[in-house]
Amino acid sequence: MGVDVWTAPAGDDSRATAHALLLSLAGTLVSDPVLQHAANGRPEIPGLAVSLSHSRSRVAVAARRTGSIGIDLEDVYPREVSGLARRWFDPAELEWMAGDLHAFLQLWTAKEAVGKALGVGLRNSGLRRRVPFGDGPVGSVPGLYVVRLPLDGAVLAVALDEPPVEIVLTEHQGTALRSTVRSRTSFPVVVRGN
């Protein structure tokens, strides 16, 4: 099953930008998409599984026709994360990340993406949920898979309820889009952007 992921600069109102980007993406998959929100705030578009995330500098949205999906995005910039890691990560995760910010963000975004795919976010011990160090099945939640996508200056994770055949990542930076193929996962990731 294919998955579409779009990113864009956050602009002045990252939430509004994320909503507009999600509706644009949804419009490529269904006619006349309508964005709604569940009682817990989760975005919904009838006929699609969708997820969104926003950081200080950019937004990311994901959509697919069936199944469940979760996405999380974090900017990479210097910050202290060891206290958060010691509070929420188990000893194996702490050892693997070894104080490295990028490794911390890989775990954090995967945990957030898994929670979104489950429809619960980080509630119910979401940060304590074990995720793979690389791409692959989530051992603590059978049937879910995590994939990290290449994105300069950020860490982007997607969680799905089946291994995807293809993920198309489209980076919106301007009006001209170009495509290249990168293979950082065990399945094709098509990257479009300028």
Side-chain angles (χ1 to χ4, degrees):
M1 174 66 52
V3 176
D4 289 292
V5 176
W6 287 12
T7 67
D12 293 333
D13 184 346
S14 62
R15 183 181 164 137
T17 302
H19 287 168
L21 190 64
L22 182 57
L23 280 169
S24 293
L25 169 55
T28 68
L29 300 171
V30 296
S31 297
D32 301 316
V34 176
L35 177 61
Q36 305 165 341
H37 287 86
N40 65 358
R42 180 185 174 106
E44 297 177 336
I45 294 179
L48 295 175
V50 299
S51 186
L52 64 83
S53 182
H54 47 90
S55 67
R56 291 178 179 183
S57 66
R58 59 178 91 197
V59 299
V61 298
R64 62 193 290 209
R65 294 187 190 277
T66 61
S68 60
I69 191 165
I71 190 169
D72 193 55
L73 167 75
E74 290 288 337
D75 294 329
V76 177
Y77 61 88
R79 60 187 128 164
E80 175 53 44
V81 296
S82 59
L84 280 173
R86 281 192 307 276
R87 179 174 179 191
W88 296 109
F89 293 178
D90 73 25
E93 291 171 328
L94 289 171
E95 183 178 330
W96 179 80
M97 71 168 265
D100 179 70
L101 174 64
H102 196 265
F104 169 86
L105 293 174
Q106 286 182 320
L107 291 172
W108 188 275
T109 57
K111 289 170 186 278
E112 285 245 27
V114 166
K116 289 178 181 182
L118 293 172
V120 296
L122 291 178
R123 292 188 303 276
N124 302 324
S125 298
L127 286 173
R128 296 198 190 282
R129 195 176 292 122
R130 291 288 311 268
V131 295
F133 298 139
D135 297 344
V138 179
S140 63
V141 185
L144 278 183
Y145 299 82
V146 169
V147 178
R148 277 87 171 187
L149 300 178
L151 194 60
D152 289 336
V155 175
L156 178 61
V158 179
L160 309 152
D161 60 353
E162 63 186 3
V165 174
E166 177 180 79
I167 294 180
V168 177
L169 172 61
T170 303
E171 297 181 50
H172 293 269
Q173 299 292 335
T175 55
L177 297 178
R178 60 180 158 75
S179 297
T180 59
V181 177
R182 296 183 187 169
S183 132
R184 288 191 29 156
T185 62
S186 59
F187 49 86
V189 174
V190 179
V191 180
R192 295 187 174 116
N194 59 337

